[in-house]
Amino acid sequence: MAAGGFCKLPNGMVVVALNLPSPAADGATAGTTAGVVRVLVHARNRARALTRLRNLGMRAVYLRGNAAPPTPDEITAVLHHPDGLIWRTAPGNGVATADPVTELWHPIRALRRARAPLGGL
């Protein structure tokens, strides 16, 4: 089960954060050992946030509990992105480390491009 959580904003919108397996062809993304990505979605409610991910082809996406809610920095990042849907590699599978994560947030289309087969339609 993917770790995740949500945060309800004062205007009624929510930010949902999920740690999902990377859809990269080799099963690993640069910078991680387990091939896990952190996906952030800004939507009207939790159901719509999960629907946005399912419409992108991530079919088995569920949010159970609030074990890994988005941090204030993650909320700021997704609110300032025009699509409201971003990702980056998950830092240490949820384990806090001394060095901060230096990877920038990517739009979701970059993740979808990474899993497209080469030379095919």
Side-chain angles (χ1 to χ4, degrees):
M1 177 172 35
F6 68 96
C7 179
K8 191 163 186 164
L9 303 176
N11 64 355
M13 305 283 278
V14 297
V15 174
V16 174
L18 292 167
N19 289 351
L20 301 172
S22 174
D26 61 350
T29 305
T32 64
T33 57
V36 178
V37 294
R38 179 93 165 157
V39 179
L40 298 175
V41 185
H42 179 232
R44 176 71 55 196
N45 56 42
R46 287 177 287 178
R48 285 190 184 184
L50 297 177
T51 299
R52 288 186 73 187
L53 290 174
R54 289 182 187 127
N55 288 343
L56 293 171
M58 300 178 192
R59 297 290 179 211
V61 175
Y62 298 99
L63 180 62
R64 298 199 172 120
N66 202 13
T71 64
D73 290 338
E74 291 175 336
I75 293 170
T76 302
V78 75
L79 289 178
H80 284 87
H81 194 273
D83 292 339
L85 188 56
I86 56 177
W87 71 277
R88 72 174 174 195
T89 54
N93 295 327
V95 178
T97 59
D99 59 335
V101 176
T102 58
E103 182 182 3
L104 298 176
W105 290 98
H106 308 286
I108 199 69
R109 62 183 166 269
L111 183 63
R112 295 183 67 209
R113 258 196 315 265
R115 66 180 225 206
L118 295 174
L121 294 175

